[in-house]
Amino acid sequence: MSVIPLHPVQGPASPAKPKHIFMLQFDIVRGCQLRCLGCPTPMIEPKVYRIPVEDFARCLRNIDVERIAYLRLYREGEPLLHRQLASLVAEIPRQSWKASIVEISTNAQWVDWGQFEEAMRLEVVNRLVVSCDGDGTPEEYERLRPPSKWEKLMEFLERARVLRDRWAPAMQLGTRTIVRTRQDAQRWENLLRPMGWTPEFRKWMALPQAKENLTGRVVVVPRGHCVYAADASEFVHKQWFGEMNQLYVDGDGTVVPCCIHPHAAVLGDLRTQRYSEILRDEPRRRLLAAMDSSRATMSICGECDVGPPGDEGPSYWSTFAYWNPEKPELPEG
């Protein structure tokens, strides 16, 4: 799920204390055990770090809002590598704010099934998403996501559905699946839907410092700051109580600008600062000023093609579902 693309408006950022966050992505694990070809995480963060439960709880308490639309326990790392998953999930309903959707997104290649089942029993997570790319064959899936094994993916899809049915029947099961052709998508459809999973299809993104650019296009860096760093006042239709605030948190509690790169910049630290303070603090102002004045010279943002609201760019739009059996928009082959 990405931020809804809307047209920009003119005017200064509102100084009011925020009450709502539209998208919160929190990496409970920094790093990942896979080496996916289109992802920068294994190149930049090869070591896994798991946030301590007490730090996670402190960070959540410092998010001083009333409502969160989407809380995703994933940004760049692999959340199921955390060995205290259930304890982390248990902290969420203890907060003063309420989250409408709580999601775990996973590569489904390593699971502590005891921790996973305990987390499911809490009925806090109401959306479980598996990332699986390629043409729907074991060979291509494993090529794109080494050292993944197709058999582990199949085991997870089956066992997770059984645990969902037993402990959290309201939980949605889905996949985010990158495909190139209609046949690829149909192959995944035929596999996933009978197993109880709903696929969401998307295209490749051009991620800065990834091992490979799998988009097939040259990256063109737009001018100005990107939609992920944009102020809530820039979204003209005022969804989510008029506060389309976004918050991206690294595995140690530091706040970063986006979900495109593991560590594009540091804007603050939720272990010691409140969200409202970080949102209006100097590091964020400096980042926006740099992007607006000289983005092309920046080391990471200067390699990214995500643009501002109203001109979000191809990588941003790639994250939206763009194919289903009733509305085919993919080439035949």
Side-chain angles (χ1 to χ4, degrees), residues 140 158 310:
E140 183 68 356
E158 179 59 29

Side-chain angles (χ1 to χ4, degrees), residues 170-182:
M171 177 187 289
Q172 298 177 350
L173 302 179
T175 73
R176 293 190 179 96
T177 303
I178 299 173
V179 294
R180 294 189 183 278
T181 71
R182 195 180 306 178

Side-chain angles (χ1 to χ4, degrees), residues 56-252:
F56 182 68
R58 188 177 301 113
C59 290
L60 295 188
R61 289 195 298 270
N62 277 331
I63 300 174
D64 51 341
V65 298
E66 297 175 3
R67 295 287 301 274
I68 298 171
Y70 295 93
L71 167 53
R72 184 182 294 169
L73 300 180
Y74 162 81
R75 189 181 64 90
E76 298 278 352
E78 171 47 48
L80 295 191
L81 293 178
H82 208 291
R83 301 184 186 279
Q84 294 179 284
L85 178 67
S87 296
L88 295 179
V89 170
E91 292 293 335
I92 295 172
R94 295 172 182 162
Q95 306 309 309
S96 59
W97 43 260
K98 176 179 174 58
S100 298
I101 297 175
V102 179
E103 176 190 307
I104 288 178
S105 182
T106 176
N107 60 42
Q109 288 295 300
W110 190 91
V111 191
D112 180 328
W113 286 106
Q115 278 289 306
F116 184 82
E117 182 168 6
E118 186 177 345
M120 296 300 100
R121 292 180 65 166
L122 296 173
E123 292 191 88
V124 173
V125 177
N126 51 27
R127 194 157 192 254
L128 179 63
V129 177
V130 170
S131 56
C132 48
D133 309 321
D135 61 5
T137 65
E139 295 77 17
E140 183 68 356
Y141 168 80
E142 292 179 358
R143 184 187 74 82
L144 291 169
R145 307 174 66 85
S148 291
K149 298 299 180 184
W150 180 263
E151 293 78 11
K152 290 184 178 180
L153 172 65
M154 294 298 104
E155 178 191 10
F156 183 87
L157 294 174
E158 179 59 29
R159 291 184 67 174
R161 183 193 59 77
V162 170
L163 292 176
R164 187 283 306 265
D165 293 348
R166 181 182 303 162
W167 300 117
M171 177 187 289
Q172 298 177 350
L173 302 179
T175 73
R176 293 190 179 96
T177 303
I178 299 173
V179 294
R180 294 189 183 278
T181 71
R182 195 180 306 178
Q183 287 90 339
D184 299 347
Q186 190 63 65
R187 199 174 290 117
W188 282 112
E189 285 272 348
N190 295 342
L191 172 70
L192 294 169
R193 288 191 184 273
M195 298 182 73
W197 295 77
T198 301
E200 172 190 300
F201 297 109
R202 49 177 58 191
K203 301 178 184 179
W204 288 105
M205 303 175 71
L207 301 178
Q209 300 181 341
K211 184 177 181 180
E212 294 184 29
N213 176 4
L214 298 174
T215 66
R217 65 174 185 271
V218 176
V219 173
V220 177
V221 181
R223 293 183 178 180
H225 60 267
C226 71
V227 67
Y228 297 113
D231 190 86
S233 64
E234 297 181 66
F235 298 94
V236 66
H237 293 123
K238 305 301 182 186
Q239 273 90 343
W240 195 241
F241 305 98
E243 291 189 288
M244 292 283 289
N245 291 306
Q246 306 160 68
L247 177 57
Y248 302 98
V249 189
D250 199 9
D252 60 357

